[in-house]
Amino acid sequence: MSHRVIDNPENMATDISRVASSRRHSENGLPYVHKVGVPPKTNLLKEITETVKETFFHDDPLRNFKDQSKSKKLLLSIQAVFPILEWGRSYNLSKFKGDLISGLTIATLCIPQDIGYAKLANLDPQFGLYSSFVPPLVYAFMGSSRDIAIGPVAVVSLLLGSMLQQELDPVKQKHEYQRLAFTATFFAGITQFVLGFFRLGFLIDFLSHAAIVGFMGGAAITISLQQLKGLLGIKKFTKKTDIVSVIKSVFAAAHHGWNWQTIVIGLSFLAFLLIAKFIGKKHKKFFWVPAIAPLISVILSTFFVFIFHAEKHDVQIVRHIDQGINPPSLNEIYFSGEYLTKGFKIGVIAGLIALTEAVAIGRTFAAMKDYSLDGNKEMVALGTMNIVGSMTSCYVATGSFSRSAVNYMAGCRTAVSNIVMSCVVLLTLELITPLFKYTPNAILASIIISAVIGLIDIDAMTLLYKIDKFDFVACMGAFLGVVFQSVEIGLLIAVAISFAKILLQVTRPRIVVLGKVPRTRVYRNIQQYPESTKVPGVLIVRVDSAIYFSNSNYMKDRILRWLTDEDEILKETNQQKIQYLIVEMSPVTDIDTSGIHSLEDLYKSLQKRNVELVLANPGTMVIDKLHASGLADMIGEDKIFLTVADAVMTFAPKMEP
């Protein structure tokens, strides 16, 4: 029976009389039926307000400000922008020990990676180090994740490099290329900040997990193929990223362009890095082995090249990294001219990919440590750090999964580990960069290959195939698009397939026929429960979706087609014709005007066939709109029931036990 608030004695008396009447009907042998409750009317403004609140403020971000003094509200506002002021009050020496160890550990990993990732973006090595100095400091003050490690990452570096070089030559137009990189970074930060500030973070969820898995896997293959240039010592190499062009370029240089000394250095240390990675994966207590392996590789390979003067045998080396901290670059950003729109376009795409990766990493480790993470605050923090980074000669930085995993396993307690890492990078920029002069490019290629191999998640792809074939198709589409075309095409395919899946689910909702499960009053999908039986003279269907303009016609046509098919089968077997169509509406969370019209058209079509339309358990939003539109009166209050069992008991009582 519906539960309503009794606001006066007259309503109470009416309800009591209705209950008494229902009991008399039951005692007289007539069916006792629960009716669907009608919710109280809400005005338009209240309905819009509640919808907006649930969409943008579902987590009630202002709950801490309630009943607080003005000074307390000001303090809470500052803490909301800079979370370090909140958790910093309880910071102690024990936490610092964990952060110090983890910060030093990820620094040893990030320094060689940053030099390699800068090359992926077609930038000088120091820009990678710059991007691991300023952005992590900004994030440490504004970010809410305790575990995420900030810096350049392989996928974003490749994406940025491949899109920038389509506009400018990174060698012939080096200065303009760098300026465009800063411009793209600025707009990447603006994009991230705006999404977070206006609480639009849910937009990045439109890129499905399956598409991300495929995109990341394809990017890992593409990045690894790009490293063949450094690994084999090839001087003339294609600028294209697809696998066919790269393989052609590699074999075209096989007779005269490969350098055996470079190959020995590259493959030897690649084997060392992969073994170190295997040890760390096999034995969690040795997590530090793969973390320090890249730095050890750089030191040893640089030492060997310097001692044996391998650069005289055509072994390509880094040669020069600018010493000193980040120079200002605000005046380098294009705020006008033809490159403004190009920088904006590249920045938005790079910013969204960087944001997706960072939020996914942050949520993963927050779940592992069981603490909450405000996605919108994260976006504001990431956006701010990239805006500041663009003004200090950095390119797009985000959360790195490999470094975050090492950070987590090293025992980080707070974002101070990012500050420690940043300080080590600062010392490196000020004191150590000249020592990288003889570092061979082959070792950087080996470090990148070993780092991105983990992005190829075979287990996740297998799971996608087992769970949802459409998700697997989305994954493979993104993967093959990146590998055989380009990173941009792969990304476009990933987004297109993600939206295609949403549209397919919205426009073609699942509608199933229900049958009665033996020895129960439960009605379930006859495909899932083959033993369930149909009720003679009754067709029961369930709509597993909200009914909107995009699917309302399909819903009506699909139900009528089922009714036609059912009648043809019954006619052939001389069974009772369908007299009642019961629509189970429990999963229908909402209905719009088009949906109402489609139900009305369905009702009229059924009337012509001498079939009665019966509704079961419409939800709050649905029953309210049915009454507001007058459709409930058209169908009849006596044909709207709380359950399918009630409807069947009323119209086909002989089927009930």
Side-chain angles (χ1 to χ4, degrees):
M1 185 178 294
S2 61
H3 296 277
R4 291 183 294 240
V5 176
I6 300 173
D7 50 2
N8 59 59
E10 290 182 5
N11 287 345
M12 182 184 292
T14 304
D15 286 343
I16 291 172
S17 65
R18 285 176 180 172
V19 171
S21 175
S22 297
R23 285 177 177 170
R24 285 196 299 272
H25 278 284
S26 181
E27 289 167 1
N28 293 334
L30 296 173
Y32 173 57
V33 176
H34 297 274
K35 288 295 182 180
V36 177
V38 181
K41 294 286 183 181
T42 57
N43 61 56
L44 179 62
L45 180 61
K46 185 178 180 182
E47 189 173 335
I48 293 174
T49 303
E50 289 178 352
T51 302
V52 170
K53 182 181 177 182
E54 192 60 31
T55 302
F56 298 101
F57 304 100
H58 63 280
D59 54 346
D60 193 12
L62 301 178
R63 62 187 178 279
N64 294 331
F65 291 82
K66 293 176 182 177
D67 303 322
Q68 300 290 344
S69 63
K70 289 184 178 180
S71 58
K72 183 66 174 177
K73 286 179 180 178
L74 177 62
L75 178 61
L76 290 172
S77 299
I78 296 171
Q79 288 179 351
V81 178
F82 302 103
I84 193 171
L85 299 177
E86 182 179 357
W87 56 259
R89 290 180 297 177
S90 60
Y91 199 73
N92 53 42
L93 185 61
S94 174
K95 290 181 180 179
F96 179 69
K97 288 178 181 177
D99 288 334
L100 178 64
I101 294 171
S102 56
L104 292 173
T105 307
I106 58 175
T108 60
L109 176 62
C110 87
I111 291 169
Q113 280 187 350
D114 290 344
I115 296 172
Y117 292 160
K119 285 187 171 293
L120 269 180
N122 300 313
L123 293 166
D124 291 337
Q126 66 269 15
F127 291 107
L129 294 172
Y130 293 161
S131 302
S132 277
F133 169 46
V134 173
L137 285 177
V138 177
Y139 181 84
F141 283 86
M142 298 186 67
S144 53
S145 173
R146 306 171 194 169
D147 306 279
I148 197 168
I150 297 296
V153 296
V155 174
V156 176
S157 299
L158 175 68
L159 178 65
L160 200 63
S162 62
M163 294 182 74
L164 288 172
Q165 73 177 2
Q166 290 179 5
E167 307 296 339
L168 292 167
D169 190 300
V171 178
K172 296 178 182 178
Q173 299 169 290
K174 185 176 181 179
H175 182 64
E176 290 79 5
Y177 183 92
Q178 290 174 4
R179 291 188 65 186
L180 189 58
F182 299 147
T183 305
T185 302
F186 175 79
F187 284 111
I190 291 292
T191 301
Q192 294 168 340
F193 183 91
V194 168
L195 288 175
F197 185 81
F198 290 103
R199 305 185 67 80
L200 299 172
F202 60 87
L203 293 177
I204 65 171
D205 292 332
F206 281 95
L207 194 60
S208 68
H209 171 71
I212 292 172
V213 169
F215 175 76
M216 291 295 187
I221 298 291
T222 300
I223 291 167
S224 299
L225 290 171
Q226 290 291 302
Q227 301 318 301
L228 292 176
K229 176 185 178 182
L231 202 64
L232 303 176
I234 301 172
K235 293 181 179 179
K236 292 183 179 180
F237 199 72
T238 180
K239 291 184 178 180
K240 296 180 179 178
T241 59
D242 64 283
I243 188 171
V244 176
S245 299
V246 172
I247 296 299
K248 281 183 180 178
S249 183
V250 168
F251 283 102
H255 299 295
H256 55 84
W258 292 16
N259 181 274
W260 71 266
Q261 293 96 331
T262 301
I263 295 172
V264 169
I265 294 170
L267 293 182
S268 299
F269 282 101
L270 178 59
F272 168 70
L273 290 166
L274 292 177
I275 291 169
K277 202 163 199 173
F278 176 78
I279 292 171
K281 194 173 182 179
K282 200 76 174 175
H283 306 283
K284 297 297 182 184
K285 62 181 178 179
F286 293 126
F287 69 89
W288 51 270
V289 174
I292 66 169
L295 190 60
I296 291 173
S297 300
V298 168
I299 293 170
L300 290 177
S301 62
T302 303
F303 177 75
F304 288 140
V305 169
F306 176 74
I307 292 295
F308 296 107
H309 292 285
E311 78 279 3
K312 295 180 180 179
H313 299 280
D314 287 334
V315 173
Q316 297 175 40
I317 58 176
V318 172
R319 293 193 182 279
H320 176 72
I321 299 178
D322 285 353
Q323 194 170 0
I325 61 171
N326 309 32
S329 57
L330 176 60
N331 61 331
E332 298 286 303
I333 298 173
Y334 288 112
F335 289 111
S336 61
E338 60 175 314
Y339 293 120
L340 172 63
T341 54
K342 293 175 181 178
F344 175 78
K345 180 191 74 173
I346 296 169
V348 169
I349 296 172
L352 289 174
I353 292 299
L355 196 59
T356 303
E357 188 170 355
V359 171
I361 292 167
R363 286 174 178 170
T364 299
F365 289 105
M368 291 169 70
K369 284 191 175 179
D370 193 27
Y371 64 88
S372 60
L373 193 70
D374 189 327
N376 291 297
K377 283 185 181 179
E378 283 293 284
M379 293 174 200
V380 170
L382 292 164
T384 304
M385 79 179 191
N386 277 314
I387 292 170
V388 175
S390 69
M391 300 175 185
T392 52
S393 299
C394 303
Y395 74 94
V396 182
T398 187
S400 165
F401 189 82
S402 58
R403 273 176 259 176
S404 299
V406 170
N407 196 30
Y408 170 80
M409 290 186 286
C412 71
R413 304 292 294 277
T414 67
V416 170
S417 60
N418 274 296
I419 298 176
V420 173
M421 177 191 73
S422 184
C423 291
V424 174
V425 173
L426 170 62
L427 292 174
T428 302
L429 284 166
E430 289 286 7
L431 304 172
I432 306 174
T433 49
L435 300 179
F436 289 107
K437 178 181 179 181
Y438 290 97
T439 300
N441 289 341
I443 196 63
L444 300 177
S446 301
I447 290 170
I448 292 173
I449 292 172
S450 66
V452 300
I453 280 177
L455 296 176
I456 307 171
D457 198 338
I458 302 297
D459 292 337
M461 292 181 183
T462 305
L463 188 63
L464 288 171
Y465 182 80
K466 290 179 180 178
I467 295 174
D468 191 321
K469 300 299 186 291
F470 195 96
D471 271 352
F472 181 74
V473 170
C475 176
M476 286 296 101
F479 178 83
L480 296 174
V482 173
V483 172
F484 285 99
Q485 282 296 319
S486 65
V487 178
E488 302 95 284
I489 294 297
L491 180 59
L492 184 63
I493 291 173
V495 172
I497 293 177
S498 296
F499 272 99
K501 184 179 180 183
I502 294 170
L503 289 174
L504 187 63
Q505 290 175 337
V506 170
T507 60
R508 294 293 182 267
R510 188 164 296 170
I511 303 174
V512 297
V513 174
L514 305 184
K516 184 173 182 290
V517 178
R519 296 179 296 279
T520 70
R521 297 181 74 243
V522 175
Y523 291 81
R524 292 291 182 267
N525 185 354
I526 58 174
Q527 290 184 337
Q528 184 179 1
Y529 298 91
E531 71 277 9
S532 60
T533 57
K534 294 180 180 178
V535 180
V538 179
L539 177 64
I540 309 168
V541 298
R542 187 182 70 215
V543 182
D544 290 343
S545 168
I547 303 174
Y548 292 128
F549 66 93
S550 58
N551 61 26
S552 56
N553 284 327
Y554 169 79
M555 179 271 303
K556 180 197 69 176
D557 294 342
R558 188 70 186 88
I559 291 175
L560 288 175
R561 192 165 69 251
W562 244 321
L563 188 64
T564 301
D565 293 343
E566 196 71 17
D567 274 338
E568 288 177 359
I569 294 171
L570 294 173
K571 188 176 181 180
E572 290 175 1
T573 55
N574 295 319
Q575 294 185 51
Q576 183 181 351
K577 185 178 177 292
I578 299 295
Q579 295 176 306
Y580 298 97
L581 170 69
I582 300 176
V583 182
E584 159 68 290
M585 303 189 75
S586 298
V588 181
T589 54
D590 199 1
I591 188 169
D592 67 0
T593 309
S594 298
I596 293 290
H597 286 314
S598 288
L599 276 180
E600 186 177 339
D601 291 342
L602 177 64
Y603 172 79
K604 291 176 181 177
S605 296
L606 293 174
Q607 288 290 301
K608 293 176 183 178
R609 301 184 186 205
N610 294 320
V611 177
E612 295 292 336
L613 176 62
V614 180
L615 305 181
N617 197 23
T620 303
M621 297 289 288
V622 177
I623 192 66
D624 185 43
K625 292 178 181 180
L626 289 177
H627 279 277
S629 64
L631 185 58
D633 296 328
M634 181 185 292
I635 295 172
E637 288 280 358
D638 59 335
K639 292 188 177 67
I640 302 177
F641 296 86
L642 187 62
T643 66
V644 172
D646 286 344
V648 173
M649 184 167 56
T650 301
F651 297 112
K654 59 180 177 292
M655 287 302 302
E656 289 297 315

